[in-house]
Amino acid sequence: MLLTTKELFQTCYGRYAIPAVNVFFMEEIHGLFAAAQAANAPFIVQTTPFARDYANADMLVSMIGAASRIYPDVTYAIHMDHGYEEHIFDAIEKGGYTSVMIDASHDNFEQNVARTKAVVAAAHAKNISVEAELGVLAGVEDDLTVDAAHSFYTNPQQVEDFVNATHCDSLAIAVGTSHGAYKFSGGQGLQFHILEEIQKRLPGFPLVLHGGSNVIPEVVERINAAGGNLKTDAKGVQEEEIRKAIPLGVCKINIATDTRLLWTMVNREFFRDRPEEFAPTTPGKIFMEEYKNFMLKKFDLFGCTGKASEFSFANTKG
């Protein structure tokens, strides 16, 4: 069942969160859809402009559509993450997406409002949900790099003003996460007082946590043991932080770094242990199974295992 993110968030708010997972290639899509069907869990599959440039937008949307036929019992949305107008309006016009994100967080408040309002008008005309962003996250994602000196937390008063002005459907906020593998090197963690204040001002409004990967230490250690050279002095978002954030309105949690690290671990270990091998399909099969198991754990952590049935019921009633 293909839904908008707005429909997903109306049901999950305050009860559980929905993983939004970046995909680049076939093995990731197989692993994600297979896990969701096995767990009966709703999810969001998302692509970035970088992924669209890498694989071609038509290729990505076609692979996702094929997966929905291979795994017909899944409940999901298709989201374009960190989009700019050239990507967003192309996605709206060509179809295939049920949600888009306009990332104007680096603009001043008035410019962010103006750009977001234009996207909301175009997207809502086609029943496509819109995610916007306030606050700037540090770190590296795809081809975007922001140093810590230029990042800043989201202002709850601005959130209220922004949502009322733009009518966006969800908002990504900066509360201490960062993009990439090197999060929380200073140990600051999530800023829950910001989430609490936003919820007081906008009860029921869905928030989005970017940079939501855990950066599992064991995975980093295994990569380095197999020839990698990743830093080990940082951690990702901890499980207890995720559980605490969900009742405060976090409905969507983005995952990208963890799956990249998983791919790296599988392939480095495979070719280290089997140097005579050269076919990509064998490690590909291993990766799909590891990916599936990884996502099953995420569904449990976010509290959405078994929750896809809620949307089938709502669809029947509605």
Side-chain angles (χ1 to χ4, degrees), residues 67-269:
S68 72
R69 295 186 292 274
I70 296 167
Y71 306 96
D73 298 327
V74 296
T75 297
Y76 69 109
I78 305 176
H79 177 73
M80 189 172 69
D81 189 39
H82 283 290
Y84 302 108
E85 283 82 353
E86 61 183 295
H87 310 102
I88 292 169
F89 292 122
D90 178 73
I92 291 172
E93 181 64 28
K94 291 181 178 178
Y97 289 83
T98 60
S99 176
V100 294
M101 178 197 177
I102 168 64
D103 184 0
S105 60
H106 298 268
D107 292 342
N108 64 44
F109 184 82
E110 291 74 20
Q111 290 172 322
N112 193 344
V113 167
R115 291 176 63 190
T116 301
K117 285 178 69 174
V119 170
V120 167
H124 283 185
K126 295 200 173 184
N127 193 34
I128 295 173
S129 301
V130 177
E131 175 186 328
E133 182 168 5
L134 268 181
V136 177
L137 273 66
V140 179
E141 182 172 41
D142 293 341
D143 53 355
L144 175 66
T145 301
V146 178
D147 61 46
H150 292 92
S151 65
F152 57 88
Y153 292 142
T154 301
N155 182 319
Q157 176 60 63
Q158 284 194 331
V159 170
E160 184 176 2
D161 296 340
F162 185 88
V163 170
N164 290 333
T166 64
H167 303 290
C168 61
D169 301 294
S170 62
L171 189 68
I173 38 93
V175 290
T177 57
S178 62
H179 292 128
Y182 306 123
K183 310 172 189 292
F184 297 157
S185 56
Q188 72 273 24
L190 296 188
Q191 305 298 297
F192 291 102
H193 66 282
I194 298 177
L195 292 174
E196 292 167 356
E197 181 62 24
I198 293 172
Q199 190 175 56
K200 289 178 183 177
R201 292 174 177 272
L202 291 170
F205 186 80
L207 302 177
V208 177
L209 196 65
H210 283 219
S213 287
N214 181 244
V215 189
I216 304 167
E218 179 192 355
V219 173
V220 175
E221 291 170 5
R222 288 174 63 177
I223 290 171
N224 288 344
N229 189 28
L230 298 180
K231 296 177 183 179
T232 59
D233 61 346
K235 63 179 181 178
V237 183
Q238 301 302 290
E239 292 186 358
E240 61 270 20
E241 293 182 303
I242 293 292
R243 295 188 185 97
K244 187 176 178 180
I246 291 170
L248 297 175
V250 172
C251 294
K252 174 177 179 276
I253 301 175
N254 286 16
I255 299 170
T257 297
D258 276 342
T259 56
R260 295 180 183 189
L261 292 173
L262 193 67
W263 181 90
T264 303
M265 182 192 77
V266 167
N267 283 277
R268 279 195 175 275
E269 289 186 339

